[in-house]
Amino acid sequence: MNGLEYKFARMDGRLALRDGAQIAGYASLFRAADKAGDIVEPGAYAAGLARLARDGGRVRMLWQHDPREVIGVWEDIREDAQGLQVRGRILTEVARGREAAALIGAGAIDGLSIGYRTKRATRDAQGRRHLHEIELWEVSLVTFPMLQQARVAAKTDPGEGPALQVLARALREARGIIGRNSNEQERT
């Protein structure tokens, strides 16, 4: 996958496991500058996604952009007015998928990143690159996100058992305590 570029998006939310780990959210937001100054324009994914659909291709779900680490499947990828919306399932039958689900559930991993090739881009007066057409190859779960505004959340099943509900609540509360402790430490 030489020559691919990567763009990162921060994840936020909780993860409940039921028949695999369902996640959904935005892998990219339109008109939001990332840390490199790149801005994805509305419609940038449309032609590439149409080509994939026509040719029977798929965008891969990878772990940390490693093509040897396929950890799930993206079941739906589409543009809307906000950005590139993704919905998929981490395969907990795969060892790395189980690890990824556990790390997300614990709040240790909270990023998404896209692997793509730029097909068409322009630069503005400030030197920022505006991406008008992107060929999307993969969306990865990653440690270090670049685009802070984009979010993805894990889906919960209304039929999940009380044990999973208690676990999800405990994880949320633990993250809140850790966040408060971190803020207190920063002030001291």
Side-chain angles (χ1 to χ4, degrees):
M1 293 188 349
N2 258 348
L4 284 187
E5 296 179 72
Y6 303 104
K7 213 158 268 324
F8 302 94
R10 185 163 184 76
M11 290 173 43
D12 187 22
R14 60 193 160 98
L15 182 67
L17 301 175
R18 183 165 180 89
D19 299 327
Q22 300 291 319
I23 58 175
Y26 287 91
S28 173
L29 294 176
F30 296 136
R31 297 188 183 103
D34 66 15
K35 291 180 183 176
D38 286 347
I39 300 168
V40 178
E41 296 296 335
Y45 299 98
L49 291 175
R51 264 191 306 277
L52 277 175
R54 182 190 67 229
D55 298 342
R58 292 193 75 134
V59 173
R60 305 299 180 196
M61 181 189 294
L62 303 180
W63 175 252
Q64 307 283 356
H65 295 297
D66 187 340
R68 297 167 297 177
E69 299 274 3
V70 177
I71 60 167
V73 293
W74 293 114
E75 296 166 335
D76 187 39
I77 299 177
R78 67 182 65 206
E79 284 191 352
D80 65 13
Q82 192 172 350
L84 184 68
Q85 191 175 45
V86 296
R87 183 180 53 79
R89 180 171 37 98
I90 298 172
L91 299 176
T92 55
E93 301 85 357
V94 175
R96 183 66 78 194
R98 282 191 301 279
E99 293 171 10
L103 290 166
I104 292 168
I109 296 290
D110 63 356
L112 280 180
S113 177
I114 60 172
Y116 64 97
R117 285 198 194 339
T118 300
K119 302 294 272 180
R120 191 168 50 88
T122 58
R123 292 221 181 251
D124 64 19
Q126 292 79 34
R128 295 177 301 196
R129 192 168 64 145
H130 291 257
L131 305 174
H132 300 282
E133 187 178 349
I134 292 174
E135 180 180 74
L136 185 65
W137 282 55
E138 53 100 354
V139 178
S140 284
L141 295 170
V142 297
T143 306
F144 299 108
M146 192 180 233
L147 182 61
Q148 298 298 321
Q149 302 96 318
R151 303 277 186 225
V152 69
K155 288 190 167 189
T156 58
D157 186 313
E160 71 186 11
L164 283 177
Q165 292 170 351
V166 169
L167 176 60
R169 185 171 41 256
L171 288 170
R172 287 191 305 274
E173 289 169 2
R175 280 189 291 226
I177 291 167
I178 291 167
R180 283 194 301 275
N181 289 341
S182 297
N183 290 338
E184 289 168 9
Q185 290 172 355
E186 287 174 10
R187 284 180 261 170
T188 60

